[in-house]
Amino acid sequence: MGHYVYAFTEGSKEQKELLGGKGANLAEMTRLGLPVPPGFTISTEACRAYLATGELPDGLEQEIEVHLVALEKTMGRSLGDADDPLLVSVRSGAKFSMPGMMETVLDLGLNDESVLGLARASGSERFAFDSYRRLLQMFGATVLGIDSEAFAVELDKLKADRGVYADVDLGVADLRGLVATYQAVIRQRTGHDFPQNPREQVRAAVLAVFSSWRTERAVLYRRQEQIPDDLGTAVNVQAMVFGNRGSGSGSGVCFTRDPASGFKGVYGDYLADAQGEDVVAGIRNTVPLAELEALDRPSFDALIDVMSLLEHHYRDLCDIEFTIENGRLWILQTRVGKRTPEAAFRIAHAMAQEGMIDADEVLRRVTGSQLAQLLFPRFDPTAPRERLTTGVGASPGATSGRIALTSANAVAWGALGDDVVLVRRETNPDDLPGMIAARGVLTARGGKTSHAAVVARGMGRTCVCGAEQLDIDSERGQVRVSGHTLAEGEMVSIDGTTGEVFLGAVPVTDSEVLRHLEGTASDETAGDLVAAVRFVMDHADGVRRMEVRANADTVDDAARARRFGASGIGLCRTEHMFLGPRRELVERLILATDDAEKEAALAELLPLQRQDFTDLLAEMDGLPVTIRLIDPPLHEFLPDHTQLAVQVALEDDHGDRDARHHRLLDAVARLHEQNPMLGLRGVRLGIVVPGLVTMQARAVLEATADRLAAGGDPRPEIMIPLVATAPELVLVRAEIDAVAEAIRIERGLELPVRIGTMIEVPRAALTAHRIAGSADFFSFGTNDLTQMTWGFSRDDVESAFFSTYFDHGILPVSPFESIDEDGVGSLVTTAVRLGRETRPDLHLGVCGEHGGDPQSIHFFERAGLDYVSCSPFRVPVARLEAARARLV
Ligand code: ADP
Ligand code: MG
Ligand code: MG
């Protein structure tokens, strides 16, 4: 018989799935002998059962009761006791941390009677009533669903009446009065009294935590972070300890290393005379943890020991919540902490050097998307700027945007494509949509552990918090700071590393890491972050099996790709070679009425193309260059139909009829297609327009011969797009082979060329064994393959209806962004298998957008491809992820 409830003494950190992250780590710390208030965890299994049926599973209530009784026994106090009551918290905690997204209720067990017992036992009536009003407020808002404003308004009113600023300045009588007021609010809003029975309170809180899995903000957060929707949350029931027992008590949050920079040191925030939720909410300003040393040396020392123990135990940055009750330290939570990209690289590298982890583990600890963020620009240090104020740099980046004072405005302006900085006194979970829409977040209150900081770091948004000089006046739609009055909508710039806030938009410059990866900065200037990135990239290159190529059409792009460590070009599109001044030649080709005219146009294109390829092969000397023959529909090279029709009509009206324009208009009309993406393009074009393939092949192969003659090492690969059936490839390949043979005879040179095809039509994947008979290589064109497998027009669907599909959970993420493994992926693996059956040495790669996407790269590793190809800037990311794909 399985069970649903586990005491903290039973579990371990490996059981996140069952106990949630918080529960698993509370159990782990209990096992390590750390001072954790006793308690138990109700498993995620119970939550899933409840969410599925709307009822608690059989036996759960009895199990909870057994554990409550055991807890009462351990603590020597019982819930609701009139003399010395036990109080508990009921805390959510899912497998993946979702900071602030779900509910927690503190101080359960108080009622009109036990509050007096707590007052007597603690010797502080003030503390007892402060705890009671907290319970009423939290229970009212989270369990009973009353708008938390209803309570906040009463508290503000009371503070105003008494002329005090902070809640700690309220007296006993005030708090007693507040308890009565809150009880009245509850009665009035729900029609019922606050439940006096502690066991009923606990039961209701547990159900509320289960249900909080489904709140709108939790659903939104999970979608944003790609956390599965069906995991459910565990619930932890834990004996309360009290940070709100006067100035010798307090609560705090700390990190074993700086989660923003990754540097070692003492990082955290502490708030005296407060319960834990006050720290995160930014209700009063916290002090830096280092100040605790002066306030309470023994607790500080004990905390430093715990930090060191936990970091060595988890071998990673730990994030810790603690409470001090009358000089006694309690640990309430730990987890491997979220961190910024730069901290991730610094910490992993430092821990490897300290011998805590090995180099493979370093690769597991950093991701391609973190690396990508390090390549983002920074504010240009030489640009003029006016600093308005400095807050806490909580999540790095250099961001400019229009000031939005509400989440709703951030969302509205973001949707218009504007860059937005969300400016708030402090943020709370309801600001999540605005934080997602904004490029940066700026708050007046709170430290590195505030809601704004934690959430922004998790999402990779730039964040400056605790900029106390900001006077945010939402009513007037203004922010006043340092003698300036900024209206909502004006531009500000924030630096999430230094915490600086600047007036207007400050220009940005390349990142240091980017310059070093690209090899354009000298070694002497390399800082420790660059050293960490180097360490990671060197090891990644040793670990990965797949090669990384780049998609590059020009010599400049090719050079950049090479500097970023690409080992070839996986896709050179030739269509841009037909644009600009050469467009007219293409028009002549299309308009040609006889072979002579056509040949003449092709003959003029040939030397231009040849020069392009000669330059590219020279730039990529010694490395493969995959050149795709012309792909898009022909009409893309012609003028717009409507415009041309108007022009021709006007010319005719004015009596200067232009015969060439008329022919062009006819051609445009003739070539018009209802579905150009499914029309005359790719290999079809090469077959329908004679001479085109021969010209392109000649340009590539003559360039190859020229490079060979010049002593170079050219390695061209000619790639034929949009093949659906083997005979297409047989036909075109024969044409290319004939050109190669002719040049071999003309020049007396063996040409080192491979000829292959793209696999981007589903039929090609399904008949890959036939197609492989004429191909030296396959390159998966996963953009078209996705488009044709799903029947989605890529240019339309994303804006048309994908968001609706996301809302319904039909799609977790766009299949154009991350490969759809079940569908498109299975076509890939089928083609790999069939192709290699025919040709075991078939070379395999991917050149679609997915070649630079981490999740997709992991799939291509499993599928056994030889390389991925992506845009030059993604090359370092792909190198890292190709290595990680072998490890994780
Ligand atoms: P979250 O997941 O949002 O951080 P928690 O469950 O950690 O929510 O609780 C919120 C705050 O309440 C934390 O700061 C925590 O330290 C405090 N807290 C929770 N349980 C207890 C307890 N038993 N005694 C004292 N403080 C507690
Ligand atoms: Mg917590
Ligand atoms: Mg294509």
Side-chain angles (χ1 to χ4, degrees):
M1 180 63 192
H3 60 128
Y4 290 116
V5 184
Y6 302 79
F8 290 168
T9 47
E10 289 177 75
S12 78
K13 70 176 177 0
E14 275 69 41
Q15 292 173 286
K16 291 198 180 68
E17 201 106 15
L18 183 70
L19 303 177
K22 198 179 287 171
N25 288 324
L26 282 168
E28 185 78 9
M29 291 193 294
T30 303
R31 229 164 36 85
L32 289 172
L34 294 180
V36 176
F40 55 88
T41 305
I42 305 167
S43 71
T44 55
E45 244 170 82
C47 176
R48 286 192 295 269
Y50 173 72
L51 291 178
T53 62
E55 276 168 46
L56 291 181
D58 281 350
L60 177 58
E61 288 190 79
Q62 293 86 318
E63 265 191 72
I64 294 176
E65 181 56 28
V66 167
H67 281 268
L68 274 178
V69 170
L71 184 62
E72 290 176 324
K73 202 160 152 234
T74 308
M75 301 303 295
R77 278 178 284 160
S78 51
L79 285 167
D81 191 278
D83 295 320
D84 184 9
L86 170 67
L87 267 52
V88 296
S89 61
V90 167
R91 318 171 61 187
S92 58
K95 176 179 177 191
F96 300 105
S97 136
M98 300 168 50
M101 287 303 130
M102 289 181 306
E103 308 298 5
T104 282
V105 184
L106 305 183
D107 306 311
L108 289 155
L110 284 174
N111 55 30
D112 294 348
E113 201 182 339
S114 64
V115 69
L116 302 173
L118 184 65
R120 278 194 299 277
S122 66
S124 170
E125 209 178 334
R126 187 184 184 290
F127 154 69
F129 279 90
D130 182 55
S131 301
Y132 199 14
R133 65 97 186 167
R134 286 168 185 273
L135 170 62
L136 292 168
Q137 184 175 346
M138 264 189 265
F139 194 91
T142 60
V143 181
L144 303 175
I146 299 169
D147 185 357
S148 55
E149 269 301 298
F151 299 103
V153 164
E154 296 297 340
L155 182 59
D156 286 344
K157 218 192 293 173
L158 181 64
K159 286 197 287 195
D161 279 356
R162 296 291 176 275
V164 300
Y165 170 71
D167 49 0
V168 281
D169 301 322
L170 293 171
V172 182
D174 297 332
L175 292 170
R176 266 181 185 277
L178 198 57
V179 163
T181 310
Y182 282 178
Q183 287 185 329
V185 169
I186 289 174
R187 196 175 309 120
Q188 187 198 335
R189 296 281 179 129
T190 65
H192 297 283
D193 282 328
F194 170 72
Q196 293 286 310
N197 180 341
R199 281 176 155 74
E200 200 181 306
Q201 293 170 9
V202 170
R203 183 193 139 89
V206 169
L207 293 184
V209 171
F210 279 165
S211 304
S212 70
W213 178 258
R214 291 234 174 111
T215 57
E216 211 171 297
R217 68 183 190 216
V219 171
L220 180 62
Y221 183 86
R222 285 198 293 274
R223 189 177 309 150
Q224 177 77 15
E225 300 292 314
Q226 300 195 14
I227 296 173
D229 252 333
D230 54 4
L231 298 174
T233 181
V235 181
N236 303 286
V237 179
Q238 186 175 30
M240 281 298 298
V241 290
F242 300 99
N244 56 332
R245 290 190 68 169
S247 60
S249 303
S251 293
V253 182
C254 62
F255 300 92
T256 58
R257 305 195 183 204
D258 183 357
S261 69
F263 291 128
K264 281 190 136 175
V266 176
Y267 294 95
D269 301 316
Y270 179 72
L271 191 58
D273 198 5
Q275 287 198 343
E277 78 276 10
D278 302 344
V279 180
V280 186
I283 289 173
R284 279 180 279 144
N285 269 319
T286 54
V287 301
L289 184 64
E291 289 183 25
L292 178 61
E293 188 171 10
L295 293 173
D296 181 353
R297 181 65 192 265
S299 297
F300 179 80
D301 288 346
L303 182 62
I304 297 290
D305 286 346
V306 169
M307 285 166 74
S308 158
L309 186 145
L310 286 175
E311 182 171 287
H312 280 91
H313 184 70
Y314 284 84
R315 299 181 309 131
D316 207 342
L317 159 72
C318 293
D319 157 339
I320 300 162
E321 292 179 5
F322 65 93
T323 278
I324 296 170
E325 179 175 351
N326 284 336
R328 176 143 186 224
L329 175 70
W330 294 95
I331 306 299
L332 289 165
Q333 187 174 338
T334 194
R335 66 188 155 208
V336 166
K338 299 203 187 225
R339 66 206 71 182
T340 64
E342 80 176 74
F345 276 81
R346 279 209 183 94
I347 292 172
H349 182 224
M351 287 190 168
Q353 291 192 317
E354 290 163 30
M356 277 164 82
I357 58 176
D358 64 16
D360 283 354
E361 183 63 20
V362 173
L363 294 187
R364 292 189 192 96
R365 299 251 178 119
V366 294
T367 66
S369 60
Q370 287 172 331
L371 177 62
Q373 290 201 39
L374 295 185
L375 306 181
F376 288 157
R378 306 278 143 118
F379 286 132
D380 178 355
T382 63
R385 71 197 62 191
E386 182 174 351
R387 186 169 61 212
L388 294 171
T389 182
T390 302
V392 179
S395 181
T399 294
S400 302
R402 299 174 62 192
I403 297 173
L405 295 180
T406 61
S407 175
N409 283 347
V411 170
W413 298 345
L416 295 175
D418 286 356
D419 291 340
V420 176
V421 173
L422 179 65
V423 181
R424 305 279 289 155
R425 193 157 302 151
E426 69 243 344
T427 62
N428 64 51
D430 294 332
D431 290 318
L432 191 64
M435 297 179 75
I436 292 171
R439 287 171 44 91
V441 181
L442 171 62
T443 67
R445 295 230 193 131
K448 275 187 181 164
T449 53
S450 64
H451 176 266
V454 173
V455 175
R457 273 200 297 277
M459 299 193 308
R461 296 291 183 279
T462 302
C463 177
V464 172
C465 54
E468 294 175 29
Q469 289 171 3
L470 291 182
D471 175 8
I472 300 170
D473 185 341
S474 305
E475 257 159 47
R476 290 217 183 112
Q478 289 180 344
V479 178
R480 290 180 291 272
V481 57
S482 321
H484 288 272
T485 300
L486 305 176
E488 184 169 24
E490 282 188 52
M491 295 292 284
V492 280
S493 299
I494 58 174
D495 185 326
T497 306
T498 62
E500 291 168 298
V501 182
F502 302 106
L503 186 65
V506 178
V508 289
T509 169
D510 282 351
S511 89
E512 183 204 19
V513 173
L514 181 89
R515 284 183 288 120
H516 279 274
L517 272 183
E518 234 195 323
T520 54
S522 81
D523 270 6
E524 286 92 78
T525 64
D528 63 325
L529 182 58
V530 170
V533 173
R534 281 232 175 98
F535 177 88
V536 166
M537 296 313 289
D538 284 349
H539 190 59
D541 287 341
V543 165
R544 70 187 158 93
R545 180 189 60 80
M546 286 195 296
E547 289 192 23
V548 176
R549 296 188 186 181
N551 300 348
D553 306 342
T554 65
V555 169
D556 282 351
D557 280 352
R560 167 166 298 126
R562 205 171 179 151
R563 291 199 298 274
F564 277 136
S567 54
I569 290 179
L571 173 63
C572 166
R573 303 175 186 85
T574 52
E575 34 274 16
H576 79 277
M577 299 175 177
F578 295 95
L579 298 177
R582 302 177 187 180
R583 196 172 175 138
E584 201 224 307
L585 292 172
V586 180
E587 283 180 17
R588 276 169 48 194
L589 180 67
I590 297 171
L591 296 180
T593 46
D594 59 36
D595 282 356
E597 255 182 273
K598 189 171 281 179
E599 303 266 293
L602 285 170
E604 275 194 62
L605 277 167
L606 175 65
L608 300 172
Q609 287 241 295
R610 185 175 54 218
Q611 191 59 48
D612 292 332
F613 296 136
T614 308
D615 294 344
L616 199 60
L617 291 170
E619 184 60 49
M620 297 304 284
D621 198 60
L623 297 178
V625 177
T626 309
I627 295 164
R628 179 177 71 185
L629 300 187
I630 189 168
D631 183 45
L634 263 192
H635 68 75
E636 281 192 17
F637 300 102
L638 295 175
D640 175 70
H641 182 259
T642 320
Q643 266 176 2
L644 187 62
V646 171
Q647 189 189 346
V648 166
L650 284 174
E651 285 166 356
D652 288 357
D653 269 4
H654 293 111
D656 38 34
R657 182 188 154 85
D658 185 321
R660 193 175 153 274
H661 286 171
H662 270 272
R663 273 165 62 207
L664 194 56
L665 183 59
D666 288 347
V668 171
R670 179 163 37 86
L671 286 169
H672 174 78
E673 293 175 304
Q674 290 300 339
N675 285 311
M677 293 309 275
L678 300 176
L680 181 59
R681 53 180 284 233
V683 67
R684 303 164 192 172
L685 201 55
I687 291 171
V688 170
V689 184
L692 205 49
V693 168
T694 296
M695 185 278 290
Q696 285 207 291
R698 194 161 254 287
V700 173
L701 295 171
E702 285 185 358
T704 307
D706 289 349
R707 287 295 306 147
L708 282 174
D713 179 9
R715 303 192 182 177
E717 302 185 339
I718 296 178
M719 178 159 83
I720 296 140
L722 219 74
V723 166
T725 178
E728 289 172 321
L729 187 60
V730 169
L731 194 68
V732 171
R733 176 161 191 148
E735 201 175 333
I736 300 169
D737 282 338
V739 176
E741 180 59 13
I743 295 175
R744 194 180 68 81
I745 292 166
E746 285 162 27
R747 298 287 193 98
L749 285 170
E750 276 312 322
L751 299 177
V753 62
R754 294 210 262 193
I755 301 169
T757 182
M758 291 187 75
I759 301 289
E760 52 186 341
V761 177
R763 192 180 187 287
L766 297 171
T767 57
H769 49 307
R770 301 233 167 78
I771 290 175
S774 307
D776 302 330
F777 64 87
F778 285 173
S779 175
F780 290 94
T782 49
N783 299 344
D784 267 306
L785 194 57
T786 300
Q787 171 159 272
M788 298 200 205
T789 301
W790 283 87
F792 281 157
S793 160
R794 180 158 68 125
D795 302 319
D796 305 315
V797 285
E798 304 214 31
S799 57
F801 63 84
F802 265 21
S803 62
T804 312
Y805 265 41
F806 295 145
D807 287 345
H808 287 295
I810 298 171
L811 289 175
V813 29
S814 163
F816 292 105
E817 208 176 297
S818 245
I819 193 152
D820 149 40
E821 293 185 21
D822 287 349
V824 178
S826 110
L827 284 171
V828 170
T829 48
T830 302
V832 167
R833 180 171 49 79
L834 294 177
R836 284 201 172 130
E837 263 169 31
T838 303
R839 242 196 107 149
D841 66 338
L842 188 69
H843 201 241
L844 299 165
V846 57
C847 62
E849 216 64 36
H850 300 94
D853 168 64
Q855 226 170 302
S856 310
I857 291 170
H858 288 233
F859 169 78
F860 297 133
E861 165 66 30
R862 293 197 298 280
L865 300 196
D866 298 301
Y867 69 87
V868 295
S869 188
C870 57
S871 82
F873 278 107
R874 294 297 287 184
V875 166
V877 173
R879 282 162 60 201
L880 174 55
E881 287 297 342
R884 283 169 43 77
R886 304 215 73 193
L887 296 175
V888 287

